[in-house]
Amino acid sequence: MKILVVSLLRLGDIIQQQPLLKALREKNPQAQIHLLINRQFSHVEGLLTGLVDKYHFFDRDLLQRGLGEASFNILWSHHQLDQLVQTLNAENYQQVLNFTHNKLSAYLLGALQVPMKKGLHHSEGKFQGLENPWLRYFNDRFSGVQPSLFHYVELLGKSFDLPVQKTAAMPAAKSKQVLFQCLTSDTKKNWGLNNFKKLKETIESSLVDYKVKVLCAPFEKESLKAYFADSDLIACDLMGAREVLKQSCLLVTGDTSIKHLASQWGVPTVEIVLGSSDWTKTAAYSVATEILSAQVPCAPCSHSQACSQKSQTCAEQITVDQVFAAVWDKLSKKTSVSTVSIRDIEKISWSLQLDGGSQSQVLSYARTALQFSETFSKANLSQVLVEARRLQTQYDTWLQALESSFPSRKEIAAKTVLKSQDIGEFILTAQDIVKSKKDVAGYFQSVVENLMTRFSSTLQFHEKMQTALAEVRELLQSRGQFIHSLEIVLKEGAYYAAGIGQLSIDGFEEAGRSLQRDREDAAI
């Protein structure tokens, strides 16, 4: 069997997809796996050894030149693209997976003669391939500024049924070399060379047996010499960087492709999240990574034009002392205590619903709640559940207000034009949700987006909004069921501690298996 993976993205994205390609290889050990990438990133081949059998290249830059420069025949780019499609069709692939998920890749998949197409593709005059709930979530939440509870690798793994796991930390390194990757592709994401210089001095003066080296591309070397000695710089390509990373005990970096390279090998990493970086979506996918982000809006300031945007974090919010503390923890192998947060509750709630959960699947929720509760301390979990239940009440109140104030289909059909006053209370409730900033998980996102979307008719608006409200209702029911299951698990534990014994849980008998403890367990 031959499988084509389409990844027309940036260098860091391709490196980041290594766990996905690994899972695809493990799932199809006998298959030939081919990868289509942009030609400018052809040097990535050596980083995916054993996972990809053959590479194909999309020459985006040359195609764009062919379309825009007078020296090219007007049909030249079309001819080149046609040649690529013919080459790919000649491979006779049995399936193609679209990791890119944009219109360009969708149109390209539409031109391929492959019996099984997974992911976004264009066919019969429309975009298709969003049947998977996880891929719809990816489509709705990932590319824009909307919040996502899940990492890029997690979402694509779920979307294509590829069981991915975070890379484990590598064995303790004997090396005493700490690496810095100081520069990113976007100045807004840079922590500042002076900050890195101070951090280097702090590390080498406080941890006298450790030495800091600065990793860079050859073209970055001159700008770094103003802050670091030439002997401190390691200028190399990606393959060279991989070897240097394997010989180092720690990497300190911003949002770079190097962090994804480090995660492949489980190199302990301190990632400094700045500017428009979103650690939830694209942090290094490794258990050995520690994220440093101010996690608060950046107040307007005069430090730079970039950090005047309130959605971003500027370099001044993360101090040298904070980064050094994270470096100290990583080098000393300090194990942080796992604590649960509201975000964890939201993530599991969404997962259950996206996996096809419903209130009738009580056993599924209970099992998940039991596994979840075993990860954290009961006191911590109980405290977070109080806040989760309070938010559930608020969410339910908002949903009830939206549903009760939304006009019926008959009322909407009677209007040729829908005015704001016709759904005034509905709009005010939606505004309250947005202003509260409490819907961080995006349960009401589709409702708000529909209010800001143009529709061809009032009935189309009504249909779309009813679908959105039904989606919210299902999501909140799923969330409420999971919280209820967690509360039962905690209460049952309290009963055991008091010597009462475990009580039965309503609904478990429906699955044909009771969780009632037997007499021997009760005696123990």
Side-chain angles (χ1 to χ4, degrees):
M1 180 169 69
K2 281 187 177 181
I3 301 173
L4 175 66
V5 176
V6 177
S7 181
L8 303 179
L9 297 168
R10 297 167 298 182
L11 178 61
D13 298 304
I14 300 171
I15 298 173
Q16 188 178 201
Q17 290 168 357
Q18 189 259 4
L20 295 163
L21 293 169
K22 182 180 179 182
L24 182 63
R25 168 62 72 199
E26 292 173 349
K27 190 174 180 179
N28 303 277
Q30 304 302 319
Q32 286 190 45
I33 297 176
H34 293 193
L35 182 63
L36 175 66
I37 59 176
N38 288 313
R39 183 172 293 280
Q40 68 193 96
F41 303 130
S42 59
H43 55 292
V44 80
E45 290 184 45
L47 303 178
L48 301 173
T49 305
L51 301 179
V52 177
D53 298 297
K54 185 176 180 179
Y55 289 83
H56 297 277
F57 301 107
F58 184 88
D59 212 329
R60 179 192 293 266
D61 292 340
L62 196 57
L63 288 171
Q64 288 177 332
R65 285 181 57 200
L67 291 170
E69 295 183 11
S71 59
F72 288 86
N73 183 290
I74 192 171
L75 296 177
W76 185 86
S77 291
H78 177 271
H79 175 71
Q80 293 299 309
L81 194 56
D82 183 59
Q83 287 287 97
L84 174 63
V85 170
Q86 288 184 38
T87 299
L88 294 175
N89 281 334
E91 294 283 357
N92 294 316
Y93 295 111
Q94 278 70 56
Q95 61 177 276
V96 56
L97 282 65
N98 187 2
F99 284 0
T100 310
H101 200 82
N102 60 19
K103 289 184 178 179
L104 171 63
S105 62
Y107 283 122
L108 183 59
L109 260 70
L112 297 181
Q113 296 170 2
V114 182
M116 182 181 294
K117 299 177 181 180
K118 294 185 177 182
L120 189 68
H121 59 277
H122 192 265
S123 178
E124 299 177 354
K126 59 183 179 180
F127 292 107
Q128 301 189 42
L130 296 178
E131 296 81 8
N132 186 301
W134 285 97
L135 201 56
R136 288 200 298 274
Y137 182 98
F138 180 87
N139 186 65
D140 294 340
R141 312 278 172 146
F142 201 83
S143 58
V145 297
Q146 297 91 339
S148 171
L149 294 168
F150 304 93
H151 191 276
Y152 171 82
V153 174
E154 286 181 294
L155 284 173
L156 286 188
K158 287 284 192 177
S159 298
F160 294 104
D161 192 24
L162 299 173
V164 295
Q165 293 183 341
K166 285 188 175 182
T167 307
M170 69 178 187
K174 295 180 181 179
S175 167
K176 298 293 184 180
Q177 178 173 281
V178 175
L179 278 184
F180 287 176
Q181 175 68 37
C182 303
L183 299 174
T184 71
S185 60
D186 187 342
T187 55
K188 297 191 300 295
K189 300 178 182 181
N190 289 343
W191 189 43
L193 294 177
N194 195 49
N195 283 333
F196 274 107
K197 179 183 178 182
K198 291 178 181 178
L199 179 62
K200 179 181 186 297
E201 294 168 352
T202 304
I203 291 173
E204 293 183 339
S205 61
S206 303
L207 308 169
V208 293
D209 51 343
Y210 284 86
K211 294 298 178 185
V212 174
K213 295 290 183 179
V214 180
L215 196 61
C216 64
F219 70 88
E220 296 172 330
K221 193 170 182 179
E222 286 304 314
S223 59
L224 290 166
K225 281 184 177 179
Y227 295 86
F228 304 99
D230 189 67
S231 59
D232 292 329
L233 304 179
I234 302 177
C236 57
D237 59 12
L238 275 176
M239 294 299 293
R242 183 176 71 171
E243 295 308 310
V244 175
L245 283 165
K246 289 161 66 175
Q247 298 165 15
S248 303
C249 61
L250 180 70
L251 170 69
V252 182
T253 182
D255 185 5
T256 66
S257 57
I258 296 298
K259 73 180 185 183
H260 298 305
L261 197 57
S263 72
Q264 285 188 10
W265 298 95
V267 178
T269 301
V270 173
E271 182 179 341
I272 304 171
V273 178
L274 295 169
S276 56
S277 298
D278 189 332
W279 63 269
T280 307
K281 294 179 179 180
T282 56
Y285 198 63
S286 166
V287 297
T289 298
E290 180 167 344
I291 307 298
L292 273 179
S293 174
Q295 291 297 294
V296 293
C298 174
C301 60
S302 59
H303 301 310
S304 70
Q305 184 180 6
C307 65
S308 64
Q309 299 182 32
K310 293 185 178 182
S311 63
Q312 298 179 351
T313 302
C314 65
E316 286 73 10
Q317 291 178 281
I318 300 178
T319 67
V320 172
D321 287 342
Q322 288 175 315
V323 180
F324 177 68
V327 168
W328 179 284
D329 290 346
K330 280 293 179 186
L331 293 176
S332 63
K333 310 293 189 299
K334 180 180 178 182
T335 304
S336 57
V337 178
S338 295
T339 56
V340 68
S341 66
I342 288 293
R343 185 183 190 83
D344 297 311
I345 301 288
E346 310 295 15
K347 189 172 181 179
I348 296 294
S349 299
W350 269 94
S351 294
L352 286 164
Q353 184 62 24
L354 293 173
D355 280 335
S358 67
Q359 280 194 300
S360 63
Q361 295 173 306
V362 181
L363 190 57
S364 173
Y365 283 89
R367 283 173 178 164
T368 304
L370 185 59
Q371 294 170 356
F372 186 81
S373 66
E374 291 172 347
T375 309
F376 308 99
S377 73
K378 296 297 186 288
N380 173 219
L381 186 54
S382 296
Q383 186 178 13
V384 172
L385 274 178
V386 172
E387 174 64 13
R389 177 57 72 183
R390 188 187 67 77
L391 279 174
Q392 183 74 22
T393 301
Q394 178 65 80
Y395 293 157
D396 290 339
T397 300
W398 280 333
L399 177 59
Q400 184 178 2
L402 288 170
E403 290 181 323
S404 62
S405 62
F406 193 66
S408 67
R409 180 182 176 84
K410 183 178 180 180
E411 292 172 316
I412 290 286
K415 300 180 182 295
T416 55
V417 177
L418 196 64
K419 298 180 180 179
S420 298
Q421 55 264 37
D422 297 327
I423 52 171
E425 189 178 340
F426 187 91
I427 292 174
L428 288 174
T429 302
Q431 288 178 337
D432 287 342
I433 295 171
V434 175
K435 289 178 181 178
S436 73
K437 297 181 179 180
K438 292 179 180 179
D439 184 26
V440 293
Y443 291 105
F444 294 88
Q445 178 179 305
S446 56
V447 172
V448 174
E449 287 181 347
N450 278 330
L451 278 175
M452 297 186 291
T453 302
R454 283 182 174 272
F455 294 98
S456 59
S457 68
T458 56
L459 281 178
Q460 185 188 29
F461 168 74
H462 183 272
E463 180 183 336
K464 289 288 185 180
M465 194 59 79
Q466 287 285 42
T467 300
L469 288 171
E471 177 188 276
V472 175
R473 191 181 311 111
E474 288 182 5
L475 285 166
L476 293 184
Q477 287 174 348
S478 180
R479 185 183 189 275
Q481 181 63 55
F482 178 59
I483 291 172
H484 177 63
S485 298
L486 275 174
E487 290 170 336
I488 289 177
V489 168
L490 290 181
K491 287 177 182 177
E492 297 268 310
Y495 293 146
Y496 270 119
I500 298 175
Q502 186 176 20
L503 304 179
S504 61
I505 301 176
D506 291 339
F508 279 89
E509 288 74 15
E510 294 177 9
R513 175 188 173 192
S514 172
L515 292 190
Q516 181 75 31
R517 297 291 188 184
D518 59 24
R519 294 184 179 276
E520 183 178 352
D521 283 344
I524 293 174

